[in-house]
Amino acid sequence: MKRLIVNADDFGLHPLINEGILESHQQGIVTSTSLLASGDYFEDALSLSKTTPTLGVGLHVCLVGGLSPVCDPKEIPSLLIDGKFPMTHTEFIKRLYTGRIKGSELRKEIEAQFQKVMSTGLPITHVDGHQHMHVLPQVLPIVAEQMKRYGLTKIRMPDETPFLMNGVSSLGRWIGKVGLTVITQQAYTISRDFGFSSPLYFWGMMNGGQLREESLLAILKKVAKKQGVHEIMTHPGKDNHTLRSLYDWGYHWDEERAAMTSARVKEYIATHDISLIHYGQWTEGERS
């Protein structure tokens, strides 16, 4: 059986992203989303979640992206640059591996993010991370502690096959993907030791922020050939112009929303025995 989780990241970041995610769920194939505790529009996302119980909701650990922390910036200065998280994962990793980030402050912020999300009472289905920083060896044990604390058992492992380019010619993006895949393979050991589970296949890293219809269909053709649980990561939203003026990430939110609601995409899934689910709708034993 081919079971597919389609997860929209960055829920709570901006109303136009929240709207895009909701539309991609109600009119398309998105089954799951990841809630940003540090998002400026967290409360808006929370309200939408409570009125849309069919949408699975996970916790999106955030340590990068130029966003604000949940903690008072004065309490975690080593994690921040001018009061915000580093813009890129490269900058965060560099600061982490040169010892400029204090472990106690890292733990304090992650604990605060978990506490904020879990206190909402939403049935949180899984954990993942903004730019996948949750799988770093210095970060994952802290995340795992919090997952154990709150009884969470599902976690994203972003190990997309290094051989998939899927129309993207960026060497830098490919190198970053391969590096993260290596880290993720090591993270599996920690995850399994804690008794956590992850989908067998992960897709969307190479096309992150630019998962158009043709790229999505190419991934779905691979999903159709592989039994097991898959996850596709997406970033739908509305109004590229407005969002790009706020977030300099080079994302194509409108195009991803169009892909998620595409009639061709929905027809392909319906005719290839692919079952759409969210993280809360599969059992841990399905990973192997």
Side-chain angles (χ1 to χ4, degrees), residues 1-236:
M1 180 180 291
K2 293 151 292 190
R3 310 187 77 188
L4 175 61
I5 298 163
V6 184
N7 191 89
D9 289 9
D10 302 337
F11 200 38
L13 182 61
H14 191 276
L16 292 171
I17 291 175
N18 293 351
E19 291 174 22
I21 290 172
L22 195 65
E23 182 178 314
S24 298
H25 171 63
Q26 294 176 331
Q27 301 179 28
I29 67 168
V30 165
T31 59
S32 174
T33 190
S34 303
L35 182 59
L36 271 169
S38 56
D40 288 338
Y41 294 88
F42 175 89
E43 294 298 332
D44 177 58
L46 178 60
S47 177
L48 293 174
S49 298
K50 289 182 175 179
T51 58
T52 316
T54 52
L55 180 65
V57 179
L59 190 157
H60 203 48
V61 176
C62 182
L63 300 166
V64 294
L67 304 182
S68 299
V70 171
C71 289
D72 185 326
K74 295 178 181 177
E75 298 178 331
I76 53 166
S78 73
L79 271 62
L80 310 176
I81 300 174
D82 297 327
K84 306 281 188 179
F85 291 128
M87 182 61 67
T88 68
H89 67 275
T90 303
E91 179 62 24
F92 175 78
I93 290 172
K94 180 172 67 175
R95 292 168 65 87
L96 186 66
Y97 279 88
T98 56
R100 295 162 66 186
I101 290 178
K102 295 181 179 179
S104 60
E105 295 180 10
L106 184 62
R107 173 172 276 102
K108 188 178 186 68
E109 174 63 18
I110 292 173
E111 287 178 351
Q113 292 186 22
F114 269 83
Q115 196 280 329
K116 182 175 180 178
V117 172
M118 299 308 298
S119 67
T120 65
L122 286 176
I124 300 302
T125 60
H126 71 285
V127 173
D128 53 38
H130 199 45
Q131 298 183 27
H132 311 299
M133 294 297 93
H134 67 294
V135 298
L136 292 177
Q138 298 91 335
V139 177
L140 183 56
I142 301 173
V143 170
E145 289 173 6
Q146 294 304 300
M147 289 178 65
K148 280 292 189 181
R149 176 181 178 184
Y150 292 104
L152 303 176
T153 61
K154 313 269 181 55
I155 185 170
R156 171 189 287 169
M157 286 289 155
D159 61 342
E160 183 177 76
T161 172
F163 304 107
L164 180 71
M165 298 298 288
N166 207 17
V168 179
S169 59
S170 170
L171 179 61
R173 182 180 281 256
W174 180 79
I175 291 172
K177 181 179 89 161
V178 171
L180 186 59
T181 297
V182 171
I183 292 172
T184 300
Q185 290 297 325
Q186 298 171 343
Y188 274 127
T189 301
I190 296 175
S191 175
R192 290 166 183 159
D193 286 348
F194 275 94
F196 302 150
S197 298
S198 309
L200 183 56
Y201 303 102
F202 175 79
W203 311 96
M205 193 188 307
M206 198 68 196
N207 296 103
Q210 46 186 300
L211 187 59
R212 297 176 175 87
E213 182 182 72
E214 291 302 325
S215 300
L216 177 56
L217 284 167
I219 289 173
L220 288 172
K221 289 176 182 178
K222 295 184 179 297
V223 172
K225 296 176 182 178
K226 297 178 181 290
Q227 300 291 326
V229 180
H230 300 249
E231 178 186 359
I232 295 176
M233 175 185 69
T234 183
H235 299 85

